[in-house]
Amino acid sequence: MYSYLIRRIFMLLPTLFGAAILVFVLLRLVPGDVCDLKFGGEGGYVDPEQIKMCREMLGLENPMYVQFYEYMKGFLTLDLGVSMWTTKPVTEEIAGRFQISVEIAILATITSIFIALPLGIISAVRRNTWTDYVIRGISISGIAIPSFWLGILILLGLLIFTQKYFGEPWMPPVDYKSLFDDPAYNLSQMVWPALATGFRYSAVATRMTRSAMLEVLREDYVRTARAKGLIEKVIVNRHALKNAMLPVITIIGMEFAFLMGGLVVTEQVFNLNGLGKLLVESVEQADFTMTQALVMLAVAIFVVANFVVDVMYAVLDPRIRYG
Amino acid sequence: MKSHGLKLAVAATVGLAFTAGAAVADTPKSGGTLNIVVGSKIPSYDGHIESTFGMIHPIRPFYSTLIRVNPDNPSSPVDFVCDLCEGSVPAGAEGGTKFTFKIRKDVKFHDGTPLTAADVKATYDKIVFPPEGVASSRKAYFKAVDSITTPDDYTLVFKLKHPTATFIPAVAMPFNFVYAKKDLDANGYNWHQRNINGTGAFTFVEHVAGSHVSGKKYAGYHHKGRPYLDGYKAISAPKMNVRLQAIRGGRADIEFRGFPPKARDDLVKALGDKITVQESDWNCVLLLTPNHEVKPFDDPRVRRALSLAVNRYEGSKYLSRIAIVKTVGGVVFPAHPLATSIEDLGKTVAGYNTDHAANIKEAKRLLKEAGHPNLSFTLHNRGVDQPYRVVGTWAIDQWKKAGITVKQWVQPTSPFYATLRKKGDFDVSIDFNCQAVVNPIADISKFLPTAGNNYANFADTELESTYDALLKAGDEGSQKALVRKYEKRVLNDLASQAITLWWYKINPHRSYVKGWKIAPSHYLNQALDNIWLDK
Amino acid sequence: MTTAEPFIENNKIPDGKPLSVRFGRMVRAQPLGAAGAFVVLLMIFAAIFAEYITPYDPENSSYEFMLVGPSADFLMGTDQFGRDIFSRVIFGARTALMVGFICAIIGSSIGLVIGVGSAYFGGRIDLYVQRVIDIFMAFPLIIMALAIISIFGNGTDKVIIAITIPFIPRCARVVRSSALAVREMPYVDAARSIGYSHIRIIMRHIAPNVMAPFLIMLTAFLGEAILLEASLSFLGLGVQEPTPAWGLMLQGGTEYAESAPWVAIWPGLAITIAVFGFNLFGDAVRDILDPRLRANS
């Protein structure tokens, strides 16, 4: 088991290194840089001399290999440098946003579990009945609606609804207060994107729960339980559900990782100051240092989540054995 | 006067009350916090480096400038008043080459340091004569400045190499934050990128990266009795939809850049007289820039045909319903005394004739004569909806109606500029000229072939010499004549670039926000010292 | 050796019934799948006959008719440029299908080749290929899309490339795990011992037996590609005006969500129904192809 763990951890390194190279190359293949924007992105007078000076100061005039060396050195010494756009340390910029993304990812995951588990189980137990069809229809509609459209409709719906029934239009807060400072304020902002995202991601988890349940319901021990005359509810709850959980946990775990790096559109629509919004902004601003750090963070979260899921499998499922 | 007429017309049709007259009668009340939504991101805090309203809107209230656009009459492009100086803005002495500013004696920085002329000098030295390796975005506006001196603690003298009408408007730029000399001496020139110590109406409270900046009332502010607000909060909201709904849902009171017409209509429809709308011509203009190095755009006939095919008057009527553009004009901001009237443009410049059928006919004739009756090309555009993509899509449709086939190639802002500046691999691009203080003579340097932001790739000695004479012209009469000559050369003879429509600024805000008046630029009148809340 | 033959042959599923019979059975057994198939067929019909169905040129603006509500003249109203939305929605089906099918087919096919190859050769090759796949799976889509579109421009073809790239590793990963099991089958050993070439074994013996996961991924990608195009449009990286494309129409229409809701509602509904249809269809395909599920039905 330990040697498996160690081997698995070592396998993370090439992935991280490869991603580091990829983001470095892609960012530099895209024409334009932050100096172009700062010294002439607003349509006013442009002084080419100032742009050149800015590039020199940021090291953008250095040869590629020098820039890459600096970048790698930064990662190895855990010094991510300063944002090219704000001139503040990258770690400082990320820290504030991190908690917002974590919070929204957790809330969305909880929402998605609350929707997916019951629906998936009912759907499997009542396979090929109208209940099943309706549930599947609802869950698929979750992924079929473009997320930004759903978000905009939610906001507009809230405004129109509250004005009609309470006189004053109400809109969720657009600035962030921490859950610990002002829980009501925080939740009144977070609950909408959490619902939108949770509904969306419950679609995959519902399908997974359904098919995992279907598979388990066919296993010999479930048949045995049935043969023994146990009532269906007990069979489902006690015997089937427990064993159907593994793939469901996998999907939910992977989704969580995906949410952490992937709330790009939802954060924009609901004006959440999270990592996804920061990523879009730093890409738009050609802020290389910030984008590199964020991409590496997303990749790291993804591979670590993968790793955790693998390990959980090894621990939870006695059939899986590693040398 | 023209734009005023337009405003009234809008007021009548939409049924809105404009604050312009009413605000004067009310007595300002003190207190309250103003919530602003800002659609762009804060880079560093250093106004001498940055050029975005994303920095101006949240940071400008912490600072003062030497002079500024009159906050009670910001729509005038020629009304400047003292901020840190005393009395009125000085007229140039010694043939317009010497400007003497008397500095106020009652100004203190937020950290308690009293302000003297030495601080203002240190500030302008940084802007005008930055040391090697120190960036200054607006250095070029002050090319005429020969020396900055302080005969005593409260006197500041600018000596110019030659008289120029561009100087005073350049000093009034909202980016010219006055810093304390001791901060620059002790902490170096980069300190202000991440630290704030100004003399503005508000003191810095906090900046939560990506979320908001907040400020609170500065009790020692030099304009006595101000500010009226206890504080303000500038909330970052990059998506237009969020900013709009935030005002509607009471999460924000105002947005200073501007909303599209339909957003204004939605707000007014939902909230009625709880919303006040202010509108103004905007000192930004969208251009069509052909790349003269790419065939057939080396041929002035082809370029003129492109301009002729665009129906500006119809565009003004219809586009102004869906985009933040409206006014037909030449190279100079239409509300400025130096601007050419539409009637004169119609007589002298191709594409401004009100008989559009004749324009189309002429365009087709020119294209045929040039050997490109079935011209097709790609229009390069910036990946921003308002107004770039809307106007780009409109222009493509206009050209289609003249038999020209055009595809659109949209790039995000940073690669968009790289294409214009470095790569130059475009046919025709949407381009824009957008300035803070209305300073026509400086602003139209955009059309100079040698300007850093002219992307048409050509050379023309006549334009250069006309501009040189204009820069040094003393009286308004000769300035006007030279502007005409320059404009006709750019838009008609060379057709080196074409102008589509000038932007139109629409600021719907909560009616209880009083004292703020719209300016012809989203950079101006942002000190917030005159705003109060009537709640 | 008969088991070594491809899984699907001559339009037949292994139980011996022709596909048409199975289709009839599917409609009864899979009403949702049939509904999905109907939506897909409707889209294909609209895409092919767009010129004959639509009353107006989808790119033609008439400014006198800006933002006109649905009426007999304009079934779905007009957009902000005075273009007929119905015509644009119908032509948009063409763009959507093109994006959907090309991305899904190319993405999953390349994924199939990589996945099967990686599983078959195993060892170091597998290890390296899987690490590369890790990188691409973990990499944020927006960076990739931005790079591709900034470098090559944003025609429909470039949008297709940007959407296809993230599909490849996902399909490869899924196909590989199935192929790993197939690799251990006795008939593959047999083929190897006879001395068949690698290519022949991969093409004839392994690839046909991972068709189920391959087709499941392919159908899942169809709807996803359409959604991704919409998301790219939202970020300003999608197909550009004046091309009729649903994502672009929806993005441009959000500004009029209240004053002229029809501008956003129709393309939004078109995307939702199309993706819904593709997903239902895909689920049905999976139910039919997944032998473990079928065995019990």
Side-chain angles (χ1 to χ4, degrees), chain A residues 31-32 36-40 42-45 50 87-88 97 163 168-171 175 268-269 271 273 285, chain B residues 41 45 50-51 136-137 140 194 207 209-210 233 236 239 242 248 251 270 274 413 415 418 421 434 453 523:
Chain A
D36 263 329
L37 285 181
K38 277 204 172 188
F39 292 90
E42 294 281 322
Y45 190 82
Q50 300 296 324
T87 72
K88 283 186 181 162
R97 273 97 162 182
Q163 185 168 22
E168 274 294 311
W170 184 86
M171 156 100 176
D175 60 328
Q268 299 254 311
V269 172
N271 208 42
N273 187 31
Q285 288 148 354
Chain B
K41 289 77 65 173
Y45 307 148
E50 308 301 345
S51 315
S136 166
S137 276
R194 279 153 64 178
H207 172 204
K233 188 170 185 182
S236 166
K239 285 284 161 194
V242 173
R248 182 160 167 189
R251 296 290 171 186
K274 287 180 186 155
T413 303
R421 292 199 189 115
C434 195
N453 55 343
Y523 299 104

Side-chain angles (χ1 to χ4, degrees), chain B residues 202-225:
Chain B
F202 296 88
T203 57
F204 178 75
V205 175
E206 64 170 350
H207 172 204
V208 177
S211 170
H212 64 269
V213 167
S214 53
K216 72 169 196 294
K217 184 178 193 155
Y218 175 42
Y221 187 51
H222 56 276
H223 293 294
K224 296 299 168 231

Side-chain angles (χ1 to χ4, degrees), chain C residues 49 100 131 145 149 164 176 194 281:
Chain C
F49 298 104
R131 296 293 75 73
I149 282 151
T164 304
R176 171 183 170 267
I194 295 170
F281 179 65

Side-chain angles (χ1 to χ4, degrees), chain B residues 323-353:
Chain B
I324 53 172
V325 293
K326 185 166 193 167
T327 312
V328 181
V331 295
V332 174
F333 178 62
H336 193 276
L338 284 180
T340 316
S341 71
I342 299 180
E343 292 74 28
D344 287 348
L345 282 171
K347 283 177 208 142
T348 52
V349 177
Y352 286 81
N353 190 340

Side-chain angles (χ1 to χ4, degrees), chain C residues 74-137:
Chain C
F74 306 104
L75 283 180
M76 297 179 176
T78 62
D79 69 2
Q80 64 273 35
F81 294 102
R83 298 176 297 203
D84 180 41
I85 294 178
F86 176 70
S87 304
R88 288 181 71 74
V89 166
I90 297 292
F91 271 92
R94 189 176 282 182
T95 315
L97 276 186
M98 198 161 84
V99 171
F101 274 106
I102 298 179
C103 292
I105 291 172
I106 296 182
S108 49
S109 300
I110 299 178
L112 175 74
V113 172
I114 295 176
V116 170
S118 180
Y120 175 77
F121 292 108
R124 262 172 203 283
I125 292 178
D126 187 39
L127 187 71
Y128 293 143
V129 170
Q130 290 312 308
R131 296 293 75 73
V132 173
I133 285 178
D134 276 343
I135 296 168
F136 277 86
M137 282 184 80

Side-chain angles (χ1 to χ4, degrees), chain B residues 437-450:
Chain B
V437 173
V438 179
N439 187 354
I441 296 176
D443 297 351
I444 62 174
S445 71
K446 164 88 181 168
F447 301 95
L448 276 182
T450 49

